[in-house]
């Protein structure tokens, strides 16, 4: 669910403790000479190319590849990759492992502010040909266009859409890590920048929030909102589906809606106009029985359910936080126990105490037998 994220440590004591942690290795960035011939050396710190530290003033900025950390040190692969489907439980376990690596207390986590976070899920096609055909149909994220970019270093092509507060990406993961995932694996990612945007969309503000199981439900909702807004254009629709169900007006309209230039013009209009045109397009492809948006949403929902499947199970080294309903029930039960020796008819108590003692919590010597008693 969470691929990478960045933290900012503003509290000096915590920042210094992280910066001076012996697990990190220094590496030089640049050297500059001032007019007074003083040499300024800039360097960063790194842990296995997974955790990177950078210092500006008294603040320390931490960049973490969470799924890489899990697969390298906690998972069964023992390898550097993020090709598998990363669940909420695995994320929380990795956060606890990260906390130990950085020698942080539970109280320290509230002072580590999230400044950037990358959310991801994965869907699966039968092979790479089907996966690449699907990626070619990915056209817009909301009103923003996807642009194809070829990564020379990693030797794969991905589609990217940049906005004012987020960046979306869709690509064939099996082309990047073919040895760690099956062919046809498609990665869908959204990176959100700035703390206020992250909190607004995911309800996560600090590292402490990433240990809370409930927050991953909000993360899944944001990924669902993002994928629901993706526009898919099936360029070869007229070759593979019968258009006899459409009248002449609808036929000319769908031919217009399948043109990339038409949607580029629509992005200049207001959001309501664009949404109305998108709805017209989806209604037409629904009529001829080839609405690929439905199967796409269903596949995303299946993947997110798998990632959240263990969200109610107790994670390793994770204390389960009671819900408000559980707290109210616990308080109500305590009140009922306190009233039992006095308020319920037919109860035998071997030793009764005063109401003041009971309210003070003295229940250890009370033996209440309500078996076969009518209340």
């Amino acid at each position: 669910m969470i691929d990478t994220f960045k933290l900012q440590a503003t509290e000096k004591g915590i920042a210094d403790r992280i910066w001076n942690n012996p697990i990190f290795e220094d590496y030089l960035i640049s050297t500059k000479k001032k007019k007074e011939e003083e040499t300024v050396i800039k360097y960063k710190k790194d842990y296995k190319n997974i955790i990177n530290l950078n210092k500006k003033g008294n603040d320390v900025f931490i960049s973490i590849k969470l799924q890489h950390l899990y697969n390298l040190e906690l998972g069964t692969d023992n390898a550097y990759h993020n090709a598998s489907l990363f669940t909420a439980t695995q994320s929380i376990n990795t956060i606890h492992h990260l906390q130990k690596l950085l020698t942080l207390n539970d109280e320290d986590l509230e002072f580590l502010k999230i400044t950037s976070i990358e959310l991801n899920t994965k869907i699966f096609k039968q092979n790479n040909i089907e996966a690449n055909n699907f990626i070619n149909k990915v056209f817009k994220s909301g009103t923003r266009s996807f642009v194809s970019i070829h990564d020379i270093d990693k030797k794969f092509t991905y589609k990217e859409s940049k906005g004012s507060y987020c960046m979306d990406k869709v690509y064939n993961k099996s082309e990047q890590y073919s040895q760690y995932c099956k062919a046809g694996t498609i990665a869908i990612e959204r990176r959100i920048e700035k703390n206020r945007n992250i909190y607004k969309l995911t309800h996560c503000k600090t590292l402490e929030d990433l240990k809370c199981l409930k927050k991953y439900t909000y993360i899944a909702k944001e990924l669902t909102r993002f994928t629901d807004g993706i526009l898919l254009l099936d360029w070869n629709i007229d070759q593979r589906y019968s258009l006899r169900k459409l009248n002449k007006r609808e036929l000319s309209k769908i031919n217009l809606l399948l043109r990339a230039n038409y949607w580029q013009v629509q992005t200049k209009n207001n959001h309501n106009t664009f949404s109305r045109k998108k709805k017209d397009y989806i209604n037409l492809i629904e009529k001829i029985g080839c609405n690929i948006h439905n199967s796409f949403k269903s596949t995303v929902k299946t993947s997110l359910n798998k990632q959240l499947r263990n969200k109610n199970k107790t994670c390793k080294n994770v204390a389960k936080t009671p819900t408000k309903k559980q707290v109210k029930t616990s308080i109500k039960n305590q009140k009922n126990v306190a009233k039992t020796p006095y308020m319920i008819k037919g109860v035998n108590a071997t030793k009764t105490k005063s109401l003041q003692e009971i309210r003070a919590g003295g229940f250890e010597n009370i033996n209440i037998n309500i078996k076969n008693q009518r209340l």
Side-chain angles (χ1 to χ4, degrees):
M1 283 214 142
I2 300 174
D3 189 7
T4 63
F5 61 94
K6 295 179 181 179
L7 301 170
Q8 181 180 2
T10 54
E11 207 279 326
K12 192 176 186 306
I14 298 171
D16 290 343
R17 198 189 323 152
I18 295 172
W19 184 256
N20 297 321
N21 194 313
I23 67 168
F24 294 104
E25 295 181 357
D26 300 346
Y27 63 95
L28 186 67
I29 299 176
S30 63
T31 57
K32 292 182 179 179
K33 287 187 177 181
K34 292 185 176 181
K35 294 180 180 179
E36 296 81 7
E37 296 183 355
E38 293 180 3
T39 303
V40 179
I41 301 174
K42 290 186 178 181
Y43 62 94
K44 292 184 178 181
K45 296 195 173 189
D46 173 77
Y47 174 74
K48 297 182 180 180
N49 198 26
I50 294 176
I51 307 173
N52 295 309
L53 302 183
N54 189 13
K55 197 168 187 179
K56 293 181 181 179
N58 292 327
D59 294 353
V60 171
F61 295 84
I62 312 153
S63 178
I64 302 119
K65 298 177 181 177
L66 194 69
Q67 190 171 357
H68 289 81
L69 181 61
Y70 173 83
N71 288 323
L72 188 63
E73 299 194 353
L74 299 179
T76 56
D77 293 340
N78 295 323
Y80 181 87
H81 73 87
N82 61 344
S84 55
L85 194 66
F86 199 40
T87 67
T89 303
Q90 291 169 341
S91 296
I92 293 174
N93 285 338
T94 314
I95 295 292
H96 280 267
H97 180 63
L98 175 68
Q99 184 178 345
K100 290 180 181 178
L101 284 175
L102 299 179
T103 63
L104 296 170
N105 303 320
D106 290 339
E107 297 79 13
D108 299 335
L109 304 184
E110 295 181 2
F111 296 95
L112 296 175
K113 186 171 64 173
I114 305 170
T115 59
S116 175
I117 191 168
E118 187 174 288
L119 317 175
N120 75 357
T121 189
K122 295 177 178 67
I123 61 174
F124 306 95
K125 299 293 181 180
Q126 290 185 355
N127 50 54
N128 279 338
I129 295 175
E130 283 195 16
N132 290 330
N133 286 338
F134 173 81
I135 293 169
N136 287 335
K137 297 171 186 175
V138 175
F139 188 61
K140 282 188 178 291
S141 175
T143 58
R144 292 178 284 110
S145 297
F146 278 95
V147 180
S148 294
I149 300 173
H150 182 69
D151 192 317
I152 299 175
D153 297 329
K154 297 180 181 179
K155 297 179 181 179
F156 75 101
T157 302
Y158 60 90
K159 279 196 167 183
E160 183 180 87
S161 174
K162 290 185 178 181
S164 58
Y165 65 90
C166 65
M167 184 181 73
D168 305 325
K169 193 184 292 186
V170 180
Y171 60 98
N172 190 339
K173 199 70 180 179
S174 51
E175 289 183 353
Q176 184 184 13
Y177 290 113
S178 57
Q179 65 272 37
Y180 298 116
C181 63
K182 63 180 182 180
T185 302
I186 299 172
I188 302 169
E189 299 175 352
R190 163 161 280 193
R191 191 174 75 201
I192 309 169
E193 301 290 345
K194 296 184 179 180
N195 187 259
R196 65 177 181 272
N197 297 323
I198 295 167
Y199 181 72
K200 180 181 178 181
L201 298 175
T202 67
H203 292 230
C204 296
K205 200 170 187 178
T206 65
L207 185 59
E208 177 67 26
D209 292 326
L210 299 184
K211 291 170 63 179
C212 178
L213 291 164
K214 188 177 180 179
K215 301 294 183 182
Y216 290 84
T217 306
Y218 294 113
I219 290 172
K221 286 180 179 178
E222 174 57 23
L223 283 168
T224 303
R225 193 179 71 85
F226 155 49
T227 52
D228 285 352
I230 290 179
L231 175 65
L232 304 171
L233 288 187
D234 195 348
W235 310 105
N236 299 319
I237 194 172
D238 56 332
Q239 299 176 11
R240 295 184 290 106
Y241 294 92
S242 174
L243 301 178
R244 293 177 184 176
K245 295 180 181 179
L246 303 179
N247 55 41
K248 289 184 178 180
R249 183 180 177 184
E250 290 172 336
L251 189 61
S252 62
K253 191 172 186 178
I254 198 170
N255 287 329
L256 181 65
L257 291 170
L258 286 171
R259 296 177 184 175
N261 294 336
Y262 175 81
W263 291 102
Q264 298 296 353
V265 173
Q266 294 305 314
T267 55
K268 298 177 181 179
N269 297 325
N270 60 53
H271 184 75
N272 291 335
T273 304
F274 181 87
S275 299
R276 189 170 62 252
K277 297 295 182 183
K278 181 181 176 182
K279 188 177 180 180
D280 291 341
Y281 166 69
I282 291 175
N283 288 338
L284 286 173
I285 59 177
E286 182 75 40
K287 189 173 182 178
I288 60 176
C290 64
N291 189 356
I292 53 179
H293 295 83
N294 289 340
S295 59
F296 172 54
K297 290 176 184 179
S298 176
T299 310
V300 170
K301 185 178 179 180
T302 301
S303 294
L304 290 173
N305 285 338
K306 287 181 181 178
Q307 290 175 286
L308 290 171
R309 184 169 294 167
N310 297 324
K311 70 184 179 71
N312 292 324
K313 295 183 179 181
T314 304
C315 304
K316 183 180 178 182
N317 299 325
V318 178
K320 202 171 181 182
T321 306
T323 62
K324 289 182 179 180
K325 186 175 180 181
Q326 290 172 331
V327 171
K328 288 181 180 179
T329 305
S330 177
I331 293 171
K332 185 177 180 181
N333 290 339
Q334 289 178 12
K335 289 180 179 179
N336 289 338
V337 171
K339 293 179 181 179
T340 298
Y342 302 96
M343 307 299 288
I344 301 178
K345 186 178 179 180
V347 174
N348 298 323
T350 57
K351 183 178 180 181
T352 58
K353 293 192 173 187
S354 66
L355 189 58
Q356 288 78 9
E357 289 176 306
I358 291 174
R359 285 176 176 171
F363 296 101
E364 66 278 1
N365 294 322
I366 293 179
N367 180 20
I368 298 173
N369 180 17
I370 61 173
K371 188 176 182 182
N372 299 323
Q373 298 285 346
R374 293 188 66 185
L375 302 182

